[in-house]
Amino acid sequence: MRYVPHTKEEIKAMLEAVGLRNVDELFSDIPTEALLKRHLQVEGGWDEEQLRAYFRKAASSIPDANSAVYFLGGGVYDHYVPSAVDKIIALPEFYTAYTPYQAEISQGTLQAMFEYQSLICELTGMEVANGSLYDGASAVAEAVLMAMRINGKRRVLVSECVHPDIIEVLRTYQLGQDFEILTLPQKEGVTDLSELEDLSNVSCLVMQNPNYYGFLENMNQASELIHKAGGLFVAAVDPLSLGVLKSPHEYGADVVVGEGQSLGNHMSYGGPHFGFFATKMDYIRYMPGRMAGQTVDVDGRVGYVLTLQTREQHIRREKATSNITSNHWLMALASAVYLSLMGGSLPELGQTILNRSTYLAQKLASVGYPLWQRQYFFKEFPIKARDAEAVQEALADSGYYVGPVIDEHTLLVAVTEKRTKEHMDKLIELMEGLR
Amino acid sequence: MRYVPHTKEEIKAMLEAVGLRNVDELFSDIPTEALLKRHLQVEGGWDEEQLRAYFRKAASSIPDANSAVYFLGGGVYDHYVPSAVDKIIALPEFYTAYTPYQAEISQGTLQAMFEYQSLICELTGMEVANGSLYDGASAVAEAVLMAMRINGKRRVLVSECVHPDIIEVLRTYQLGQDFEILTLPQKEGVTDLSELEDLSNVSCLVMQNPNYYGFLENMNQASELIHKAGGLFVAAVDPLSLGVLKSPHEYGADVVVGEGQSLGNHMSYGGPHFGFFATKMDYIRYMPGRMAGQTVDVDGRVGYVLTLQTREQHIRREKATSNITSNHWLMALASAVYLSLMGGSLPELGQTILNRSTYLAQKLASVGYPLWQRQYFFKEFPIKARDAEAVQEALADSGYYVGPVIDEHTLLVAVTEKRTKEHMDKLIELMEGLR
Amino acid sequence: MLKELHKMGRRGPQVPVSGLEDRPISEILPKEFLREEPLSMPELSEVEVVRHFVNLSNLNYGVDNGFYPLGSCTMKYNPKINEEVAAWFQDIHPALPENRVQPLLELLYTLQQDLLEITGMDAITLQPAAGAHGELTSLLMAKAYFKDHGLLEKDTVIIPDSAHGTNPASATMAGFKVVTVKSDEEGLVDLEQLKALVNDHTAVFMLTNPNTLGKFEKNILGIAQLIHGVGGLMYCDGANLNGMLGWARPGDMGFDFVHLNLHKTFSTPHGGGGPGSGPVAVKKALEPFLPKPVLVKAEDEDGDGSYHWDYDRPRSIGKVRSNFGNILVALKALAYIKSLGGAGLREVGTMAVLNANYMRVAMEDTLPTAYPGLCKHEYVATAEEVKKRYGVKAQDIAKRLLDKGFHAPTMYFPLIVKEALMIEPTETETKENLDAFVQAIKEIVEEAATNPDVVLSAPHDTPVRRLDEVKANKELKVRW
Amino acid sequence: MLKELHKMGRRGPQVPVSGLEDRPISEILPKEFLREEPLSMPELSEVEVVRHFVNLSNLNYGVDNGFYPLGSCTMKYNPKINEEVAAWFQDIHPALPENRVQPLLELLYTLQQDLLEITGMDAITLQPAAGAHGELTSLLMAKAYFKDHGLLEKDTVIIPDSAHGTNPASATMAGFKVVTVKSDEEGLVDLEQLKALVNDHTAVFMLTNPNTLGKFEKNILGIAQLIHGVGGLMYCDGANLNGMLGWARPGDMGFDFVHLNLHKTFSTPHGGGGPGSGPVAVKKALEPFLPKPVLVKAEDEDGDGSYHWDYDRPRSIGKVRSNFGNILVALKALAYIKSLGGAGLREVGTMAVLNANYMRVAMEDTLPTAYPGLCKHEYVATAEEVKKRYGVKAQDIAKRLLDKGFHAPTMYFPLIVKEALMIEPTETETKENLDAFVQAIKEIVEEAATNPDVVLSAPHDTPVRRLDEVKANKELKVRW
């Protein structure tokens, strides 16, 4: 049988050693009423060729980024993944290991985690980072919970321009906590910072930059505002934008989180990706998640261990900073490899994305799809269309994909460094034809 | 620039260290007349996304075994390759190493080579094997050259039923050597062993089993015959058949060679595959190619080295047993992994291939495509058709491929363990419709 | 270290070309949006990056290197075919219109149906990213359920003292009070104490079954009755499902919800710390509260199905993460399930339990099981006696095992066992490997008696030797 | 060892199912064809096989582990993208009708055209499987060429004493007599001796240029004139093409044919011993003799091309192997060429030569170059002085380098240099790596002076230590 190496003779010998007559007796501690009296009705027992045929049939009929042209955005993007990234995270010693509990035989994971943390710190300008969380949305929720742990206040301000998934996840996490969420309204595509009245007992303000629409927020003003009110500034950012956009450190963010997919991870129909989490040294003991730290071994050699484990659930149980244990390390490792390969090119990358997306936005406007709002943007932007869904469907029939659809008359268009002039000109032509 | 890590400052510093003013001076030893005065006219300088687009465009428009159904044979077959095989030969320490000249840091390659040799010996029943040659056809040529080195005779008998590529390669190698090739005619699809008259000074007899047509030869009789004449028996075999077919040892072969593709290697439009080469201990010093041997290190620990290197070109130069140096080790490694995974299943594999191919041959005969000759076969068989090429083309339009075409009225049909009843029934239906 | 390989101006792969003319960034964005602080990234060539990480990988130990009996982690073999087929889906965007991804949705729906059959439950979400995330999701659903039923007094979660730390941590995050119930002398929930603890405040009883001692909670039916009797919910931490796979189902023994760890029972690799996947399967009563969207199948008049992400779930707790779940992990699990089928899954359960019991018995003389008798997928040995006699602790034994080429068992867990070594062999290990491990344990205990220093100072043959965790915590060097 | 993991009845992956009823083999084939001897294969589970080979791989050292200055082997970085894109072509059968594989043939034709431009030649075959195979192919073509011209006296191949061993071995296989020409004090072909050796019997002069000392044969034009003067052919062993890539072309300096090593100059990985690929490019005069089939392009009236395997080559030497060549290797080389383009290829040549010269100069004080002065892609240092002084040989230095994390240079080659260490850094190495290697050499020579035992008994930190080759040769244990 697949993956079970035992021969019949061995099974017999092992049962004898245990003092049992048959395998049924291995389950004699399960009450008869709870025992399954039949086989599971699960189709299977397939060989590898059957598996390949089954999965290939499905895969080959989906317009993926290799057969279609994606201008899709909304938090997940068709970015360039260097070939070396995939090869490295497929190394068996990386992907078949568990969490590095035995540090002496896990230095590969631990050093890479230390390096990942360092890279995230350099990118965001923050002082410390953890070893990853599940995704960008849950990272925001964890950031908010941390802010409340830090300052004990129970009101949270969230811009309505952050990704709806973030707001929704935050509201879900709120079910278990006693705090209030106040939203800052959107005005002309960006957060309206003018309507804040009662800023008492505000733990933190959550802003996203570029925001859900791809528009750039006034992060300086937001930061000033919340700091005046005595709260923490939580910034959710696209890490790939930080080669050109102001770093969170520059506008005084206290916690920087975000979705890491753009850093060398595939789209994977939405997951697995990872969330990154960086903050100030002062808050390190309030942080959720794993962290690697440098130390020495008994011979004085430099090595790495999981550190500050006393924050974590397996030590602190109900008093832990979070319940997280398995995070999304392999995806964070991919980003560490990505940043090692492309880190020096991030300014160039940011610039070309700006250049491409600006080109497309201007051209689309010229053929009748103006920007929904006149704001500065990075990588993606919302356009107006008479019937957004109809446009999306019609383009899909030509193998071109835009979206997601924001409302009946608005849809997002994202332009990564994989989209060439040729792709864009074709899209423009197709869309012009749809008017 | 891609793959060159030097910064401008470094280049300057390095030139200075060498005492040169510019890079042109690095090439001052090349006569001006021989210097290229322009850039190479080679299109390129592409990034990875351009490379992907370029190669994907070509790959996606070819009917490969994942999008089409292959009944193609003639020496290369659409066999099942277990997923683990591909993952293992892609391990960087295996595929980015050179020939194991520094044994102490090449034990991975060397032990695997020792194991590969052992597996080939077990499979063929022979005593020794080398670490691979280029392919089956060149392996036959090397076997013939070895036979002549051993017994000094200069006439070589070759059945006309061996693969035409083998005969052709042998004739090419003959250009450099002083020997005579005598062919044994084909009769009813197998070698006619009755017409041998002058067997004087015959160095060896080359037979293939299953032969080019897929038919089974009378290897016992051939072996007896050549041995009576004092020559060596060179058997070219399909290693995958040896789970069920008589082993070369059983019919007394002196040299066993063959194409190893069927053992875990992809078709790759014909290469790279590998040739295996096994013989008797008596002939080990006459063998071409690399070989790993077991030994111990200074601490008495078991280890492996390249052995009998004194046969080889880098030591013996013009007196070497062959000029071969780089062989096809990685492909042979794939076969070692394959045999480790599937070795115990070879009898079952042989049986199912027999069962499938017999089923198809009978059904095709029943719809008007009889066997070209009534002989026993393994895996592939020749059928008669009014217009073989027309049949091939018509099937190709439905995504079904048979062949190669042997002559206007005959084509080969191969049935591997990847061809299901469903595939075969569809082929039968299509072919019936073509009559 | 990466940073030390840095050289300003060096580059890895090129940024893909656009075909557009370059425009200076100042023409595109006002300065106020632009970075002024220099960006300090290591600048490296591709070969240096590859070597760095290849060599790092060789300092690691994975399932592909050897035996990994890390208790409660179910470190079984990760089949290569699963990696191969899942990768075919890696370049799909989650915002693709539903009508373009039907074949993928069908795969995910099939996985859902298979997991429901495996657990004996009625409805499921693939959304949670990991086991702990599944726990949190479940407890938030419980919260919503009680609120929906107007049972606002339901504020307490009861958790055995042998439970994973995630259980109380998740309960806290979900806003419940945590009450601990002790284990009895058999290593099972102390029924008497449980009865005393259960009352109208009891919201959820979180039970890992088989538990972390590897024991099947044989009183499970009675426990369920007790909890249900006060209107509480029975939650199954499914981390240990491998110990009863194909033999018994949470849904048949009174559990109302359960999370699965696809990266344990269903062989998806753990990746050195994730990504996992923690689907939650529930009974009908909890279905309305599942996170949205829920993947549903609609059948047309011809019986043909189409698949939809259902967002119209008014009582849903909402999303617990962005998008739909760890899809590639889910596909690997589906490949695993399809490679086994019903009979194969049961054989997995059988052999996981046989392997554990075989080792347990073989080790009994050397390191006795804390709670003797039949176990399921794992058991917990205690080094208490060895420590008393020779001063050699569980950790020392664990470290010495590294020298002998094994990964160590889980140490010092569960907390109720002194000098605990929690051993889970999984079904993919050969008898020879089990024998070799038992032999290694015997040798170490022998060493403890005759030459304790070699054990106390272990490991000796690892890339680094024993590391100073106190220094790491004190000096907190967590970045370059 | 694999065999020791064997357990009768254990199985790896399943044989794919057929959907047919099983038939006993005796119903299909008569007994005379069937195996009677038992087949003794190791029977293993998939996890054991994977672990075995993963752990073996970790005993190896590849370019992805570190610096690999193995002279004449051009161990440059193997870009991962090349592996990725070539794999897309792995499941194509060579008997597919030509009209179904036009896009692939176009790629191969493009590679041919690019290699012709790179070498300055007129026609090419991709068929040879390796460098030595390319040599043999070339010499058989020469044989056919002379026969075709009725020049039967052409029976001798002249080869410098610094040449790779494959040159004379290939000449012998092609049925030529071999005559050796010495190197002069500059490490170049001794012109005077060459003149004395050249006569009407001279068929081919096989010259490696740049040669194995890393020297460009500056008299190449005169040599070509000399050989052509007697009707002989100039053959270029292109193993060292990296040393003049983009700067000079064999076709522009009088060579009539050249083989390329795609696994050297064009970055395709060596795989621990192949597969390589050894295309042969020729001048017009030799084109008729190329192995068949030859890949040709036919242009229709619209200028659209179609590609064909041309078998109608009456003067061809015939096939040198089955099928068309090592296609996947060729595609990796094409990806490499396309990633670089003309300017990039020239930069490769430049930096390969700069790296070699930089190291040469840096090492001069420690291990002097056998033939001083400008080199191309490699140079040969001699440990003769170190041996005389301290008794430490080139091999000892090589083995000690392994301890310091480097692969060793090629040892004891070319044969004309005593205690030779042949060093080829390639262009993909950083200056830091070169400096570190030079530093290591310095340390070793220092050790040789102060503590020679540590060098003589090296390596110390490798998976095994120095191995007994004599025993291996004597006892000949070459299988289990």
Side-chain angles (χ1 to χ4, degrees), chain B residues 1 38 76 172 249 295 356, chain D residues 16 37 93 117 319 347 468:
Chain B
M1 183 62 80
R38 55 171 177 82
V76 176
T172 304
H249 174 256
T295 185
R356 291 174 209 222
Chain D
E37 279 182 2
H93 195 285
E117 164 68 4
K319 290 195 145 190
E347 193 188 13
D468 187 344

Side-chain angles (χ1 to χ4, degrees), chain B residues 31 50 66 86 110 114 120 143 152 174 207 224 267 276 284 296 299-301 309 315 327 341 400 414 421 426:
Chain B
Q50 288 174 295
N66 306 312
D86 288 334
L110 285 161
F114 179 87
I120 292 295
Q174 187 195 14
M207 298 270 292
E224 225 167 276
M267 292 173 284
F276 64 91
I284 191 168
V296 295
D299 297 333
R301 209 161 4 171
Q309 294 194 61
I315 310 270
N327 44 61
L341 291 166
Y400 277 66
K421 181 169 187 297
K426 176 75 183 171

Side-chain angles (χ1 to χ4, degrees), chain A residues 1 6 38 41 76 95 97 104 109 115 135 172 242 244 246 249 268-269 295 308 327 351 356 421, chain C residues 16 18 23 32 35 37 52 60 80 90 92-93 117 270 272-273 319 322 347 355 399 468 473:
Chain A
M1 184 60 80
H6 304 70
R38 56 171 176 84
Q41 303 292 312
V76 176
Y95 86 89
E104 294 85 355
T109 295
E115 293 175 339
D135 68 353
T172 304
L242 296 180
V244 291
K246 216 175 250 315
H249 173 256
S268 303
Y269 196 57
T295 185
L308 284 190
N327 44 62
Q351 199 207 332
R356 293 174 207 222
K421 180 168 186 297
Chain C
S18 65
R23 277 178 68 194
E32 66 196 84
R35 187 177 194 111
E37 278 183 3
H52 176 74
N60 257 19
K80 304 308 160 199
Q90 71 186 8
I92 299 173
H93 194 286
E117 165 68 5
H270 195 260
K319 288 194 146 192
S322 53
E347 193 188 13
N355 268 2
K399 296 299 179 195
D468 188 343
N473 273 306

Side-chain angles (χ1 to χ4, degrees), chain B residues 89-90 94-100 109 113 131-135 259 265-266 268 270-275 290 324-335, chain D residues 73 75 78 83 86 126-133 260-279 321 325-333:
Chain B
I89 68 168
F94 278 140
Y95 87 89
T96 75
Y98 203 76
T99 301
T109 294
M113 195 180 294
S132 84
L133 298 172
Y134 307 134
D135 68 352
E259 174 53 55
N265 276 278
H266 292 270
S268 302
H273 302 148
F274 74 100
R290 294 267 145 78
I324 195 166
T325 158
S326 287
N327 44 61
H328 278 197
W329 164 246
L330 199 70
M331 276 51 242
L333 173 62
S335 80
Chain D
C73 298
M75 292 296 280
N78 310 125
E83 303 299 311
L126 302 177
Q127 210 176 115
H133 205 214
L260 303 171
N261 297 77
L262 299 186
H263 50 289
K264 294 181 180 176
T265 318
F266 298 97
S267 89
T268 72
H270 195 260
S277 175
R321 56 167 293 163
N326 285 346
I327 302 304
L328 253 54
V329 179
L331 293 174
K332 292 177 199 182

Side-chain angles (χ1 to χ4, degrees), chain C residues 235-415:
Chain C
Y235 179 74
C236 181
D237 179 333
N240 294 347
L241 181 65
N242 217 42
M244 58 179 178
L245 190 64
W247 286 87
R249 312 190 302 174
D252 296 340
M253 55 185 79
F255 285 109
D256 301 294
F257 43 174
V258 56
H259 86 258
L260 302 171
N261 297 76
L262 299 187
H263 50 290
K264 295 180 180 175
T265 318
F266 298 97
S267 88
T268 73
H270 195 260
S277 175
V280 171
V282 302
K283 285 286 176 71
K284 265 268 171 273
L286 286 164
E287 183 173 9
F289 308 100
L290 284 172
K292 64 184 173 181
V294 174
L295 180 60
V296 296
K297 180 176 183 179
E299 278 184 27
D300 63 17
E301 50 270 33
D302 303 334
D304 289 337
S306 67
Y307 302 89
H308 308 284
W309 290 113
D310 182 10
Y311 285 88
D312 185 17
R313 315 281 300 188
R315 290 192 284 169
S316 164
I317 58 167
K319 288 194 146 192
V320 294
R321 55 166 293 163
S322 53
N323 303 307
F324 313 113
N326 285 347
I327 300 305
L328 254 53
V329 179
L331 293 175
K332 292 177 200 184
L334 177 61
Y336 179 72
I337 289 169
K338 290 303 165 201
S339 76
L340 292 167
L345 290 166
R346 184 176 170 110
E347 193 188 13
V348 163
T350 308
M351 297 311 299
V353 172
L354 179 56
N355 268 2
N357 279 284
Y358 175 76
M359 280 183 84
R360 175 181 60 78
V361 169
M363 271 177 60
E364 198 63 60
D365 294 342
T366 320
L367 286 186
T369 315
Y371 295 87
L374 196 62
C375 66
K376 297 270 79 58
H377 62 295
E378 70 187 356
Y379 61 100
V380 179
T382 173
E384 179 68 358
E385 191 61 27
V386 175
K387 182 184 166 196
K388 272 192 200 148
R389 277 203 210 166
Y390 314 119
V392 164
K393 300 195 296 281
Q395 171 168 260
D396 303 318
I397 295 172
K399 296 299 179 195
R400 186 62 178 147
L401 277 167
L402 310 185
D403 283 335
K404 296 183 185 278
F406 298 101
H407 197 282
T410 300
M411 309 181 298
Y412 300 104
F413 185 79
L415 309 175

Side-chain angles (χ1 to χ4, degrees), chain C residues 79-96:
Chain C
K80 304 308 160 199
I81 186 72
N82 302 353
E83 302 299 311
E84 178 184 327
V85 302
W88 299 340
F89 298 85
Q90 71 186 8
D91 294 318
I92 299 173
H93 194 286
L96 226 52

Side-chain angles (χ1 to χ4, degrees), chain B residues 1 3 5-6 14 24 26-27 29 31 36 38 41-46 52 61-66 73 76 80 92-93 95-99 102 104-109 114-115 117-118 122-123 126-127 134-135 165 168-169 172-173 176-177 242 244-247 249-250 266-269 271-272 293-299 301 304-305 307-308 313 317-318 323 325-330 340 344-345 351 355-356 358 376 393 397 401 417 421, chain D residues 1-2 11 13 16-19 21 23 25 28 30 32-37 52-53 56-57 59-65 68 73 75 79-80 84 89-93 99-100 103-104 117 132-133 163 165-166 168-170 172-175 216 218 247 249 269-274 292 309 317-319 321-324 326-328 338-342 346-347 351 355 374 376 399 408 427-429 463 465-468 472-473 477-480:
Chain B
M1 183 62 80
Y3 313 132
H6 305 69
M14 290 170 75
D24 288 357
L26 288 167
F27 299 90
D29 50 355
L36 190 65
R38 55 171 177 82
Q41 303 292 311
V42 173
E43 199 188 345
W46 298 349
R52 283 173 176 151
S61 54
I62 296 174
D64 74 358
N66 306 312
V76 176
Y80 159 56
E93 293 86 352
Y95 87 89
T96 75
Y98 203 76
T99 301
Q102 293 294 338
E104 295 85 355
I105 53 171
S106 308
Q107 288 297 299
T109 294
F114 179 87
E115 293 175 339
Q117 294 163 189
S118 307
E122 295 285 1
L123 197 55
M126 304 307 285
E127 292 168 343
Y134 307 134
D135 68 352
D165 276 3
E168 185 144 9
V169 170
T172 304
Y173 275 62
Q177 307 278 329
L242 296 179
V244 291
L245 296 190
K246 214 173 251 315
S247 92
H249 174 256
E250 286 177 284
H266 292 270
M267 292 173 284
S268 302
Y269 196 57
Q294 199 181 70
T295 185
V296 295
D297 74 358
V298 292
D299 297 333
R301 209 161 4 171
Y304 302 84
V305 294
T307 195
L308 284 191
Q313 50 73 29
R317 302 180 76 84
E318 63 269 23
N323 71 334
T325 158
S326 287
N327 44 61
H328 278 197
W329 164 246
L330 199 70
S340 304
S345 299
Q351 199 208 334
N355 191 19
R356 291 174 209 222
T358 307
Y376 292 106
E393 267 302 298
D397 288 338
Y401 287 83
E417 70 284 3
K421 181 169 187 297
Chain D
M1 177 81 80
L2 268 180
R11 284 292 176 273
V17 296
S18 66
E21 263 179 64
R23 277 179 68 194
I25 199 161
I28 305 175
E32 64 197 84
F33 294 116
L34 298 178
R35 187 178 193 110
E36 288 171 70
E37 279 182 2
H52 176 74
F53 287 102
L56 277 186
S57 82
L59 305 179
N60 257 19
Y61 184 101
V63 171
D64 278 5
N65 297 101
Y68 217 116
C73 298
M75 292 296 280
K80 304 309 160 202
E84 177 184 326
F89 299 85
Q90 71 186 9
D91 293 317
I92 299 174
H93 195 285
N99 61 355
R100 311 279 163 171
L104 172 55
E117 164 68 4
H133 205 214
T166 48
S170 299
T172 302
M173 275 185 90
F216 189 89
K218 62 185 177 186
W247 286 86
R249 311 189 303 172
H270 195 260
K292 62 184 176 184
W309 291 112
I317 59 167
K319 290 195 145 190
R321 56 167 293 163
S322 53
N323 304 307
F324 313 112
N326 285 346
I327 302 304
L328 253 54
K338 289 304 164 202
S339 76
L340 292 168
R346 185 177 170 106
E347 193 188 13
M351 297 311 299
N355 268 3
L374 196 62
K376 297 270 79 58
K399 295 300 179 195
E427 73 283 358
T428 57
E429 293 303 320
R465 294 188 52 216
R466 217 179 285 199
L467 289 155
D468 187 344
N473 274 305
K477 182 153 176 51
V478 294
R479 59 169 295 192
W480 63 54

